[in-house]
Amino acid sequence: MKIGDEVMFSAKFLRSTGQIMGEAPFAVGVITGLMPIEKLQLVTVAWPDGERKALSCNLILKNRRHLEPA
């Protein structure tokens, strides 16, 4: 992932947090910042409702959504 990429929450993350309905499964954001933390990567994402941080392992690239399990 790099700055400028469009991302969405992964299906696995959404299921693990009980967010299978509502806006979260369809939200698309743009990466505006990257910060490596040991083996993880914290990314700043500009979502339609504001900018927030998320772990990159909980996100997928928007153009890879079709590869997510149903």
Side-chain angles (χ1 to χ4, degrees):
M1 291 186 184
K2 60 186 183 314
I3 293 176
D5 284 346
E6 288 187 317
V7 294
M8 302 176 80
F9 287 111
S10 71
K12 182 178 179 181
F13 171 74
L14 292 169
R15 279 194 300 276
S16 74
T17 58
Q19 300 181 74
I20 56 173
M21 298 174 71
E23 296 178 15
F26 305 100
V28 177
V30 177
I31 295 177
T32 58
L34 302 168
M35 184 171 55
I37 302 175
E38 294 188 22
K39 294 182 180 182
L40 299 173
Q41 186 171 34
L42 189 66
V43 296
T44 305
V45 181
W47 299 101
D49 62 347
E51 197 169 84
R52 293 188 309 272
K53 294 184 181 343
L55 291 174
S56 63
C57 60
N58 294 331
L59 302 171
I60 58 163
L61 294 173
K62 181 185 173 199
N63 63 359
R64 309 290 289 174
R65 182 64 166 191
H66 66 284
L67 300 175
E68 286 278 282

